Amino acid sequence: MHTREEKVAAFGRLLDIMDTLRVQCPWNAAQTMDSIRPMTEEEVYELSETILDRDRPGTAKEIGDLLYHMVFYARIAQEEGAFDIADSLNKICDKMVFRHPHVFGPDAGKATSAKEIADTWELVKAKEKGGNKTVMGGIPKAMPAVLKALSMQEKARGCGFDWEKKEDVWDKVQEECAEVSQAAAEASPEQLEMEFGDLLFAVINAARLYGVDPEAALGRSCEKFRRRFNYVEAETLRQGHTLADMTLPQMDALWDQAKSKGL
């Protein structure tokens, strides 16, 4: 592993490379915050994938890619006279010091459990904001819905608004499931959409309470479905047919084969 001095030098090298590219590379010079934003979103998902895959070399690479984007934004802002990378770094340092009074404040050194910190996290953040922002106000509207639901539930928990016992959540899941079934039989499409949303929100809440990442869990189920459907398609073609030729029972039989093979 590298020394602190080597880490600082590596970050300085990245800043120097950005300064050079911004001046000498036509593509880099033409970019704006708006133009690189979609690429940043892609980099976040690529980083997430390497973490889920336990690919540490890949994670190291993707962290570098994401850091490059952060430096890119800061360089553009510097050219606008708005701020530079030091401002961003100091802001996050100040925020972390404020939000960890048990480490940096008058309570430093006192034993505090991870659960106690998590349970009061949103209250500490609310104090930092001075009442100018709501607890849910920091959640981006553009965030994917599963992650948004999880973030909202975590923020509510951080204010003490959560189930006393995780087992109690199943009554809510069953209640929402019944409401979906009823809406499917008699309600408008808008009402049905709302009830499905409530059910999904409740299931995500249950996953959170049981320590399961709903995004990762759903991602694994999607990949399992992909593997099994690919098997169905491949076997169909191997038998000289197309999926359009297959009946549902025939496809179900191939699906069961895929399951029996552990796909």
Short mmCIF file of all heavy atoms in Angstrom, two decimals, residues 94-117:
data_model
loop_
_atom_site.label_atom_id
_atom_site.label_comp_id
_atom_site.label_asym_id
_atom_site.label_seq_id
_atom_site.Cartn_x
_atom_site.Cartn_y
_atom_site.Cartn_z
N ASP A 94 -15.52 19.51 6.50
CA ASP A 94 -16.29 20.23 7.52
C ASP A 94 -17.57 19.46 7.87
O ASP A 94 -17.95 19.37 9.04
CB ASP A 94 -16.65 21.64 7.03
CG ASP A 94 -15.44 22.55 6.91
OD1 ASP A 94 -14.39 22.21 7.51
OD2 ASP A 94 -15.54 23.58 6.22
N LYS A 95 -18.22 18.92 6.85
CA LYS A 95 -19.46 18.18 7.07
C LYS A 95 -19.22 16.94 7.93
O LYS A 95 -19.96 16.65 8.87
CB LYS A 95 -20.08 17.77 5.74
CG LYS A 95 -21.36 16.97 5.88
CD LYS A 95 -21.84 16.44 4.54
CE LYS A 95 -22.30 17.55 3.62
NZ LYS A 95 -22.88 17.01 2.36
N MET A 96 -18.15 16.19 7.60
CA MET A 96 -17.87 14.97 8.35
C MET A 96 -17.48 15.26 9.80
O MET A 96 -17.84 14.52 10.72
CB MET A 96 -16.76 14.18 7.66
CG MET A 96 -17.19 13.54 6.33
SD MET A 96 -18.58 12.38 6.51
CE MET A 96 -19.97 13.38 5.92
N VAL A 97 -16.76 16.33 10.02
CA VAL A 97 -16.39 16.71 11.39
C VAL A 97 -17.65 17.06 12.19
O VAL A 97 -17.83 16.62 13.32
CB VAL A 97 -15.40 17.90 11.38
CG1 VAL A 97 -15.25 18.48 12.79
CG2 VAL A 97 -14.04 17.45 10.85
N PHE A 98 -18.54 17.83 11.57
CA PHE A 98 -19.77 18.24 12.26
C PHE A 98 -20.66 17.04 12.56
O PHE A 98 -21.28 16.96 13.64
CB PHE A 98 -20.54 19.26 11.42
CG PHE A 98 -21.76 19.81 12.10
CD1 PHE A 98 -21.68 20.96 12.88
CD2 PHE A 98 -22.98 19.18 11.98
CE1 PHE A 98 -22.80 21.46 13.53
CE2 PHE A 98 -24.11 19.67 12.62
CZ PHE A 98 -24.01 20.82 13.40
N ARG A 99 -20.75 16.12 11.61
CA ARG A 99 -21.67 14.99 11.76
C ARG A 99 -21.11 13.87 12.65
O ARG A 99 -21.80 12.88 12.89
CB ARG A 99 -22.04 14.43 10.38
CG ARG A 99 -22.87 15.39 9.56
CD ARG A 99 -23.33 14.77 8.27
NE ARG A 99 -24.12 15.71 7.47
CZ ARG A 99 -24.64 15.43 6.28
NH1 ARG A 99 -24.47 14.23 5.76
NH2 ARG A 99 -25.32 16.34 5.62
N HIS A 100 -19.88 14.01 13.11
CA HIS A 100 -19.30 12.98 13.97
C HIS A 100 -18.80 13.61 15.28
O HIS A 100 -17.61 13.57 15.59
CB HIS A 100 -18.16 12.26 13.25
CG HIS A 100 -18.61 11.46 12.07
ND1 HIS A 100 -18.89 12.03 10.86
CD2 HIS A 100 -18.86 10.13 11.94
CE1 HIS A 100 -19.27 11.09 10.01
NE2 HIS A 100 -19.27 9.93 10.64
N PRO A 101 -19.72 14.16 16.07
CA PRO A 101 -19.31 14.77 17.34
C PRO A 101 -18.71 13.75 18.31
O PRO A 101 -17.93 14.11 19.18
CB PRO A 101 -20.63 15.35 17.89
CG PRO A 101 -21.70 14.53 17.24
CD PRO A 101 -21.18 14.23 15.86
N HIS A 102 -19.05 12.47 18.12
CA HIS A 102 -18.51 11.43 18.98
C HIS A 102 -17.05 11.13 18.65
O HIS A 102 -16.38 10.39 19.38
CB HIS A 102 -19.33 10.14 18.83
CG HIS A 102 -19.47 9.69 17.40
ND1 HIS A 102 -20.31 10.33 16.52
CD2 HIS A 102 -18.86 8.71 16.71
CE1 HIS A 102 -20.22 9.73 15.33
NE2 HIS A 102 -19.35 8.74 15.42
N VAL A 103 -16.57 11.72 17.54
CA VAL A 103 -15.16 11.55 17.15
C VAL A 103 -14.39 12.86 17.27
O VAL A 103 -13.29 12.89 17.83
CB VAL A 103 -15.05 11.02 15.70
CG1 VAL A 103 -13.58 10.91 15.28
CG2 VAL A 103 -15.74 9.66 15.57
N PHE A 104 -14.99 13.94 16.77
CA PHE A 104 -14.28 15.22 16.71
C PHE A 104 -14.79 16.26 17.70
O PHE A 104 -14.16 17.30 17.89
CB PHE A 104 -14.38 15.81 15.29
CG PHE A 104 -13.83 14.91 14.23
CD1 PHE A 104 -14.68 14.22 13.37
CD2 PHE A 104 -12.46 14.75 14.07
CE1 PHE A 104 -14.18 13.39 12.37
CE2 PHE A 104 -11.95 13.93 13.08
CZ PHE A 104 -12.80 13.24 12.23
N GLY A 105 -15.95 16.04 18.32
CA GLY A 105 -16.55 17.05 19.19
C GLY A 105 -16.29 16.83 20.66
O GLY A 105 -15.38 16.07 21.04
N PRO A 106 -17.10 17.45 21.50
CA PRO A 106 -16.91 17.33 22.95
C PRO A 106 -17.11 15.92 23.48
O PRO A 106 -16.64 15.58 24.56
CB PRO A 106 -17.97 18.28 23.53
CG PRO A 106 -18.99 18.41 22.44
CD PRO A 106 -18.22 18.33 21.16
N ASP A 107 -17.80 15.07 22.69
CA ASP A 107 -18.03 13.68 23.11
C ASP A 107 -16.98 12.73 22.56
O ASP A 107 -17.15 11.51 22.61
CB ASP A 107 -19.42 13.21 22.65
CG ASP A 107 -20.54 14.01 23.30
OD1 ASP A 107 -20.32 14.48 24.43
OD2 ASP A 107 -21.59 14.16 22.67
N ALA A 108 -15.90 13.28 22.01
CA ALA A 108 -14.86 12.45 21.40
C ALA A 108 -14.31 11.45 22.41
O ALA A 108 -14.03 11.79 23.55
CB ALA A 108 -13.73 13.32 20.87
N GLY A 109 -14.19 10.22 21.96
CA GLY A 109 -13.63 9.19 22.81
C GLY A 109 -14.66 8.39 23.58
O GLY A 109 -14.35 7.33 24.12
N LYS A 110 -15.89 8.90 23.63
CA LYS A 110 -16.94 8.16 24.34
C LYS A 110 -17.44 7.02 23.45
O LYS A 110 -17.62 7.19 22.26
CB LYS A 110 -18.08 9.09 24.71
CG LYS A 110 -17.70 10.16 25.73
CD LYS A 110 -18.90 11.01 26.12
CE LYS A 110 -18.52 12.07 27.14
NZ LYS A 110 -19.67 12.91 27.52
N ALA A 111 -17.69 5.91 24.09
CA ALA A 111 -18.12 4.73 23.35
C ALA A 111 -19.52 4.95 22.78
O ALA A 111 -20.44 5.32 23.49
CB ALA A 111 -18.12 3.51 24.25
N THR A 112 -19.67 4.75 21.47
CA THR A 112 -20.96 4.87 20.81
C THR A 112 -21.08 3.73 19.81
O THR A 112 -20.16 3.50 19.03
CB THR A 112 -21.08 6.21 20.06
OG1 THR A 112 -20.82 7.28 20.97
CG2 THR A 112 -22.46 6.38 19.47
N SER A 113 -22.19 3.02 19.83
CA SER A 113 -22.36 1.90 18.92
C SER A 113 -22.72 2.39 17.52
O SER A 113 -23.24 3.50 17.35
CB SER A 113 -23.47 0.96 19.42
OG SER A 113 -24.73 1.58 19.30
N ALA A 114 -22.45 1.55 16.54
CA ALA A 114 -22.80 1.89 15.16
C ALA A 114 -24.30 2.11 15.03
O ALA A 114 -24.76 2.98 14.29
CB ALA A 114 -22.33 0.79 14.22
N LYS A 115 -25.09 1.32 15.76
CA LYS A 115 -26.55 1.46 15.69
C LYS A 115 -26.99 2.81 16.24
O LYS A 115 -27.87 3.47 15.67
CB LYS A 115 -27.22 0.33 16.47
CG LYS A 115 -28.75 0.36 16.36
CD LYS A 115 -29.39 -0.78 17.11
CE LYS A 115 -30.90 -0.81 16.91
NZ LYS A 115 -31.55 0.45 17.30
N GLU A 116 -26.41 3.24 17.34
CA GLU A 116 -26.78 4.54 17.93
C GLU A 116 -26.45 5.67 16.97
O GLU A 116 -27.22 6.63 16.83
CB GLU A 116 -26.04 4.74 19.25
CG GLU A 116 -26.56 3.87 20.39
CD GLU A 116 -25.70 3.99 21.64
OE1 GLU A 116 -24.50 4.31 21.52
OE2 GLU A 116 -26.24 3.75 22.72
N ILE A 117 -25.32 5.57 16.30
CA ILE A 117 -24.94 6.60 15.32
C ILE A 117 -25.93 6.63 14.17
O ILE A 117 -26.41 7.70 13.77
CB ILE A 117 -23.52 6.35 14.80
CG1 ILE A 117 -22.51 6.46 15.94
CG2 ILE A 117 -23.18 7.32 13.67
CD1 ILE A 117 -21.12 5.99 15.57
#
